[in-house]
Amino acid sequence: MIQRTLAILKPDCVRKNLIGKVIKRIEAEGFKIIALKMVKLNSKTAGEFYTVHKQRPFYYDLVSFMSSGNCVPMVLEKENAIEDFRKVIGATDPAKADEGTIRKMYADGKEQNIVHGSDAPETAAYEISFFFSTRELVENL
Ligand code: ADP
Ligand code: MG
């Protein structure tokens, strides 16, 4: 089934000038980028995006990191996109991520881990709508 997932190139990815390399990899893995923009989250919007982690000890730091610079959210489309993209990015902690995954290749730690990927169909739908209106999803224009 053709699926959509939300990817975000996080502020560390943008700061390290890795946007191009990561997008190249995403496309090489067969994902179609159907929407993309650059945004800067503030602590309110970053906090809202990660609200499911509100009770976690790393929440405050995560919100501060995600609002520390520009991000590049994008909508990816592919067969089995959600699960397949999680495989391409690797485990949350790059030290535990498989060889060749984006996080293993580029991330400095379990917080600053380069890229976000939705983890289920419901979260993907919510996260896509968080960043993109229907009119911004190319096929609907
Ligand atoms: P993932 O991004 O792999 O789905 P989670 O949803 O568990 O991981 O966490 C969201 C984000 O919060 C992670 O990508 C990472 O930036 C940060 N994070 C997760 N766990 C930790 C941790 N133990 N310490 C610091 N930051 C963390
Ligand atoms: Mg997650």
Side-chain angles (χ1 to χ4, degrees):
M1 186 185 57
I2 296 283
Q3 247 180 3
R4 289 176 178 180
T5 191
L6 182 86
I8 307 174
L9 308 186
K10 295 185 179 185
D12 56 331
C13 180
V14 176
R15 268 194 289 274
K16 290 162 90 175
N17 288 345
L18 290 170
I19 295 174
K21 284 206 172 91
V22 175
I23 286 181
K24 187 171 181 173
R25 173 68 182 279
I26 288 170
E27 291 188 313
E29 295 284 350
F31 296 89
K32 287 280 169 217
I33 298 171
I34 63 162
L36 173 152
K37 64 172 81 170
M38 178 174 275
V39 295
K40 178 145 184 332
L41 298 174
N42 59 34
S43 48
K44 185 170 177 286
T45 47
E48 200 185 322
F49 183 80
Y50 279 116
T51 194
V52 6
H53 294 309
K54 206 164 196 153
Q55 305 307 327
R56 310 284 286 276
F58 57 81
Y59 178 72
Y60 178 84
D61 275 354
L62 173 63
V63 167
S64 151
F65 163 54
M66 289 301 290
S67 55
S68 69
N70 293 339
C71 282
V72 181
M74 62 186 94
V75 180
L76 307 179
E77 197 170 74
K78 188 179 134 356
E79 185 83 18
N80 204 36
I82 296 169
E83 202 186 317
D84 285 3
F85 191 61
R86 297 283 303 192
K87 281 191 192 134
V88 172
I89 69 181
T92 309
D93 183 349
K96 295 177 185 152
D98 288 342
E99 219 49 61
T101 59
I102 292 173
R103 284 168 166 171
K104 181 70 167 192
M105 290 170 75
Y106 301 121
D108 289 333
K110 59 186 166 190
E111 176 184 77
Q112 304 209 9
N113 59 6
I114 300 287
V115 66
H116 167 85
S118 306
D119 63 7
E122 304 72 37
T123 45
Y126 167 74
E127 291 174 1
I128 288 168
S129 71
F130 189 92
F131 286 104
F132 297 96
S133 70
T134 309
R135 294 186 66 173
E136 288 176 298
L137 299 171
V138 174
E139 69 175 7
N140 292 308
L141 283 180

